[in-house]
Amino acid sequence: MNTGSLDIDIDIAAPAWKDAVAGLEALSRDVLDAVRRETDLGVRHAEISLVFTDDAFVQNLNKTYRDKDAPTNVLSFPAGGDMPLPGGQSEMLGDVVLGFETCAAEAGRDGKTLADHTRHLIAHGALHLLGHDHETDEDAALMEALEMRILAALGVADPYAPVDD
């Protein structure tokens, strides 16, 4: 599709991310560029903020904004701004926040590299910012198919394939 440009703000708040995922910033930009190519951003210029943090921070966000007192792998916070911006300014799509310990544990449990699991979660979170969800089986199938297409373009295996025990 390749519509619009995308500005990316990356905050690596938990040092464990840099130690565990080589080239995290470049990896993030590659994923979001693939998202941009496969979707319609809906605006000419957009901005997404990625925050790589720890489970304690994510748990606090999850409790505050979702009333769930537990860490999770990824949270998305759409900006929801409908106000027109002056020419050349980016429309903020929102924030995607990833918790290190949960992401690392899931990758290990599922036999995936943390880098590939992170690619998946960045794509998943960004798609939420663009209005995709998985509340119904039909919506989940559409979102998962889009995630698989984005990840395949990056050389990442199907994240929904059954895990060998």
Side-chain angles (χ1 to χ4, degrees):
M1 240 174 231
N2 200 11
T3 61
S5 65
L6 185 60
D7 295 325
I8 305 160
D9 179 41
I10 300 172
D11 179 11
I12 304 173
W17 279 105
K18 275 193 172 183
D19 295 338
V21 181
L24 183 59
E25 291 185 25
L27 175 151
S28 300
R29 292 179 195 289
D30 288 346
V31 173
L32 291 175
D33 191 48
V35 169
R36 183 187 58 78
R37 286 191 311 268
E38 292 292 335
T39 63
D40 182 359
L41 298 178
V43 294
R44 189 168 171 208
H45 302 288
E47 181 178 346
I48 290 178
S49 174
L50 293 177
V51 179
F52 295 93
T53 190
D54 59 26
D55 275 10
F57 188 80
V58 170
Q59 181 170 346
N60 186 47
L61 290 175
N62 209 15
K63 181 178 180 184
T64 301
Y65 296 102
R66 299 180 66 226
D67 201 27
K68 295 183 179 185
D69 192 10
T72 189
N73 53 14
V74 62
L75 292 171
S76 296
F77 297 97
D82 293 329
M83 190 166 95
L85 299 171
Q89 283 192 325
S90 295
E91 179 177 324
M92 183 61 175
L93 296 178
D95 304 309
V96 176
V97 183
L98 288 88
F100 179 77
E101 295 87 350
T102 297
C103 292
E106 289 173 344
R109 176 197 70 207
D110 296 342
K112 299 174 183 174
T113 67
L114 182 55
D116 280 353
H117 191 48
T118 301
R119 286 180 180 95
H120 177 212
L121 295 174
I122 292 169
H124 183 89
L127 290 175
H128 276 305
L129 297 183
L130 294 170
H132 297 274
D133 67 47
H134 40 82
E135 297 301 314
T136 67
D137 289 345
E138 182 180 349
D139 288 342
L142 292 171
M143 187 172 178
E144 290 170 9
L146 187 51
E147 289 172 359
M148 288 185 283
R149 203 165 65 236
I150 290 164
L151 294 171
L154 297 167
V156 178
D158 176 0
Y160 297 105
V163 177
D164 294 332
D165 289 335

